[in-house]
Amino acid sequence: MIQAKFSLEETHIEFLAQHQQYGFKDKSGLVRAALDRFYAEFAQQRLSESAELYAQVYTEDDETQEWTEAGLSEWPR
């Protein structure tokens, strides 16, 4: 595994010291889990923002609505 060096606040150090109470065998496991969770939340946020943009384009573009409705009418039920 690759190692990285970074600076933390005292409160972060105190939290990491309690890693076993949160079910982690070591501090690195806690940090990796936190980064994985942040990455997933960030990806979900980007997906939501993209969906909002597509919804806005759809409501403002008659042509997009027409070809969407045409595609839906041909979709098997």
Side-chain angles (χ1 to χ4, degrees):
M1 214 170 283
I2 299 171
Q3 293 186 354
K5 183 178 179 180
F6 46 90
S7 301
L8 299 172
E9 300 289 333
E10 184 65 32
T11 55
H12 300 130
I13 300 297
E14 291 169 3
F15 180 74
L16 285 173
Q18 299 172 11
H19 62 276
Q20 290 180 325
Q21 293 177 11
Y22 300 110
F24 296 94
K25 68 176 185 172
D26 57 27
K27 296 172 188 174
S28 294
L30 190 149
V31 171
R32 285 191 299 271
L35 288 172
D36 288 344
R37 183 172 178 175
F38 176 75
Y39 180 79
E41 289 177 10
F42 184 70
Q44 180 62 43
Q45 179 183 0
R46 289 181 30 206
L47 184 62
S48 295
E49 290 171 357
S50 176
E52 288 176 20
L53 287 173
Y54 277 111
Q56 181 180 358
V57 167
Y58 180 80
T59 59
E60 295 174 358
D61 187 350
D62 293 335
E63 185 178 356
T64 301
Q65 292 176 23
E66 289 173 14
W67 57 257
T68 302
E69 292 299 322
L72 286 174
S73 67
E74 297 174 9
W75 193 264
R77 293 181 185 232

